[in-house]
Amino acid sequence: MFVAAAGAYVHVVTHFIQAGLLSALGSLGLMVWLMATPHSHETEQKRLGLLAGFAFLTALNLMVLFFNSILPTAFMGTAMIFTCFTLSALYARRRSYLFLGGILMSAMSLMLLSSLGNLFFGSIWLFQANLYVGLVVMCGFVLFDTQLIIEKAENGDKDYIWHCIDLFLDFVTLFRKLMMILAMNEKDKKKEKK
């Protein structure tokens, strides 16, 4: 998160608007490279560097998409939601949220199909429904991924770098959804004032 914050800060200071596509491709490339690098003691430093680069470029790309006055509100809201759902998963009975995996993936598939359909219909209602349902689904993924990581660790999977990627992606997606909802609400308030 500190490296991602550094990426956001670099964007704010330099106003590097052209970084959108480049940072997206760079973060995707680093993620693929990280997946291809095996987990071992010898590759740990290399994988940590790839993780840092991925976080930096992801935050840079996110700031290109969304930078305005609601950023602190969205970040604090995301941090609170993420913390609450993570603590809930940590203190819940072991494996009690693992059943959510199939439901969440089905919901993601339906959201993808409705988003593709909305390209043709252009319905603002469907777009808003997708945002709010997506926020709920991502909260479910925080529960699921946290318990899945605990279960994997207890079964011998000690790849904490990849576990970091799972939780980081949950956080970023939550942040993106919340930022879009807040931006949409702010836009509606400005319309009402006029």
Side-chain angles (χ1 to χ4, degrees):
M1 291 307 296
F2 289 123
V3 175
Y9 179 75
V10 165
H11 171 72
V12 170
V13 170
T14 62
H15 300 291
F16 195 49
I17 301 297
Q18 292 80 16
L21 182 62
L22 293 175
S23 61
L25 291 174
S27 64
L28 182 64
L30 287 174
M31 187 175 183
V32 170
W33 191 2
L34 184 60
M35 286 172 49
T37 307
H39 171 63
S40 70
H41 185 67
E42 294 80 30
T43 61
E44 187 173 13
Q45 293 299 319
K46 178 181 178 182
R47 295 182 84 228
L48 280 171
L50 292 171
L51 173 65
F54 172 75
F56 184 86
L57 290 177
T58 300
L60 188 66
N61 186 40
L62 192 61
M63 292 301 105
V64 167
L65 295 175
F66 304 110
F67 183 74
N68 58 24
S69 60
I70 58 175
L71 183 71
T73 307
F75 180 77
M76 291 305 295
T78 304
M80 288 190 327
I81 291 169
F82 189 84
T83 302
C84 290
F85 278 91
T86 299
L87 288 174
S88 176
L90 288 173
Y91 289 111
R93 195 170 32 88
R94 183 176 173 190
R95 289 186 251 166
S96 60
Y97 291 120
L98 291 183
F99 76 93
L100 290 174
I103 296 168
L104 294 170
M105 290 308 292
S106 296
M108 289 288 281
S109 298
L110 288 173
M111 287 172 45
L112 176 67
L113 288 174
S114 67
S115 292
L116 290 174
N118 202 26
L119 290 174
F120 300 107
F121 302 124
S123 167
I124 190 69
W125 180 84
L126 191 56
F127 177 73
Q128 290 176 340
N130 237 350
L131 276 180
Y132 287 103
V133 170
L135 186 65
V136 172
V137 167
M138 289 317 300
C139 291
F141 267 114
V142 172
L143 289 171
F144 173 74
D145 285 340
T146 303
Q147 284 207 337
L148 186 63
I149 288 168
I150 293 168
E151 196 61 29
K152 284 179 178 179
E154 289 183 1
N155 289 326
D157 182 0
K158 304 295 185 191
D159 188 4
Y160 66 92
I161 295 173
W162 193 253
H163 299 163
C164 250
I165 290 279
D166 286 339
L167 293 177
F168 180 72
L169 288 175
D170 289 346
F171 188 90
V172 167
T173 308
L174 254 175
F175 178 73
R176 185 176 283 141
K177 296 278 184 200
L178 194 57
M179 189 69 152
M180 290 173 75
I181 289 169
L182 290 173
M184 196 170 51
N185 290 342
E186 187 175 275
K187 186 179 175 184
D188 290 342
K189 285 180 186 176
K190 285 180 182 177
K191 281 183 182 176
E192 287 175 7
K193 287 180 182 177
K194 289 181 182 180

